[in-house]
Amino acid sequence: MLKGQEAGAKTADVCRKHGISSATFYKFKARYGGMDVSDARRLKALEDENARLKKLLAEQMLDNAILKDVAAKMETPDARRKAVALACAEHGVSLRRACKALSVDRASPRYPTGSCWCWRCNSITQAQIRAYRAGGGAQPEAHLPRRA
């Protein structure tokens, strides 16, 4: 396209032939004028790699910001749930991304807080869960310990 114009063809004819405006032609000429085809391909490959690296850097910076916001110790499961919820709300990331950044299991934030997960109650609810999933039982309820 540029070689046709350099060979003596009018700019308007070249633009009409390729279906572009004259502004697009001059922008293309300013960017790729004086380059060989191999140089233009190399430039395009470098631009693609640069965009990919910028995206990776932005993701790492977001993970770093999430970790700085929840720098408190996450020792209990409830603290981990709250940290994941905070990361999702404040940074607008998905649950999966927040769990990955905080090194928390993805299933952890889905468990309800305040329910009893002792072995006795868990074994009782497993039978209820199997019946519910099979379609023949009522929805299981979590056992809450009695207050003294």
Side-chain angles (χ1 to χ4, degrees):
M1 180 169 71
L2 292 175
K3 291 185 180 186
Q5 194 262 348
E6 289 172 359
K10 292 184 180 177
T11 305
D13 294 337
V14 172
C15 292
R16 194 175 311 112
K17 180 181 175 185
H18 293 284
I20 59 172
S21 69
S22 60
T24 303
F25 176 80
Y26 285 116
K27 187 175 180 181
F28 190 79
K29 185 177 179 180
R31 188 170 196 180
Y32 297 108
M35 283 188 190
D36 294 332
V37 176
S38 61
D39 291 340
R41 285 186 186 147
R42 185 169 178 265
L43 177 65
K44 180 67 174 161
L46 288 173
E47 287 174 348
D48 290 343
E49 184 182 0
N50 192 21
R52 184 182 60 84
L53 291 173
K54 281 183 180 180
K55 183 179 177 184
L56 287 173
L57 178 65
E59 289 176 356
Q60 289 299 319
M61 289 174 65
L62 180 61
D63 288 347
N64 194 12
I66 290 171
L67 289 172
K68 282 183 181 178
D69 283 349
V70 289
K73 293 183 180 178
M74 298 186 303
E75 294 177 358
T76 64
D78 193 42
R80 286 191 287 272
R81 281 187 209 100
K82 288 179 182 178
V84 169
L86 178 75
C88 290
E90 299 233 346
H91 296 283
V93 295
S94 66
L95 180 72
R96 179 182 215 164
R97 179 75 186 270
C99 288
K100 183 179 179 185
L102 298 171
S103 300
V104 174
D105 186 53
R106 282 181 28 207
S108 171
R110 296 184 186 142
Y111 287 121
T113 57
S115 61
C116 180
W117 292 99
C118 67
W119 67 271
R120 181 177 52 86
C121 300
N122 197 16
S123 63
I124 293 170
T125 58
Q126 288 299 319
Q128 293 173 343
I129 289 171
R130 280 193 294 275
Y132 175 70
R133 287 184 180 158
Q139 184 168 359
E141 297 180 17
H143 166 75
L144 295 175
R146 289 187 210 158
R147 293 184 182 172

